[in-house]
Amino acid sequence: MPEDTVRSIFVTGLKNAHAMENQALSIMKPQVSRIEHYPEVAARLDQHIRETENQIARLDQLLSEFAEDRSAIKDIALSVTGAMAAMGHTVAGDEILKNSFANYAFEHFEIAAYRSLLTIAEQGGFSASTAALRVNLDEEVAMAGWIEQHLSDVTLKFLSLKSAGETAKV
Ligand code: MG
Ligand code: FE
């Protein structure tokens, strides 16, 4: 496989990951601002928002090392889509559950994206890029694990709030 082909596929993957991370911010930020009754979820989302901002900085650094013109990146459309997906869950009164499912799915999308990027980096011999990608991957794995570990508690809390006649408040 010609090196410039692998390189171009890798750069496209980095750009897609950059857009994905901006989408992640546009999903998590509206969620965390609405949470009142699930402080542990809010704290973990806050942490992951800060992690995500650092992930974007790492991707920016990688893209600048590959001398890409950052102005060409079309992140905006994806960000809007993400915000709308988050809003869609606010209506039915089980927002915290649907957001948990969606976040769990999104973290696994990110995990797959970074695993694939790491394979491309290995194939292209871009060994200077792998450390940053692994940091991002590890943070996604940790976030997915946290959501999985807390899903039962969040569900039980949701049940208890609903039983106590709480409104649709998150
Ligand atoms: Mg991420
Ligand atoms: Fe993530």
Side-chain angles (χ1 to χ4, degrees), residues 1-73:
M1 211 179 295
E3 202 220 297
D4 59 341
T5 304
V6 182
R7 190 183 179 88
S8 131
I9 291 167
F10 185 60
V11 169
T12 300
L14 291 174
K15 288 181 189 173
N16 288 337
H18 192 277
M20 170 185 79
E21 295 302 353
N22 275 322
Q23 186 180 10
L25 288 179
S26 77
I27 291 168
M28 290 187 288
K29 283 180 171 175
Q31 285 182 14
V32 79
S33 71
R34 288 177 50 80
I35 292 178
E36 287 177 28
H37 291 100
Y38 302 84
E40 288 181 3
V41 176
R44 190 61 180 86
L45 278 169
D46 250 329
Q47 180 190 332
H48 199 53
I49 285 168
R50 291 193 301 275
E51 288 169 348
T52 301
E53 285 162 352
N54 288 325
Q55 292 171 357
I56 290 170
R58 282 181 211 110
L59 292 167
D60 276 330
Q61 177 63 31
L62 292 180
L63 281 163
S64 73
E65 285 160 14
F66 280 81
E68 273 295 312
D69 177 10
R70 300 287 302 123
S71 66
I73 294 177

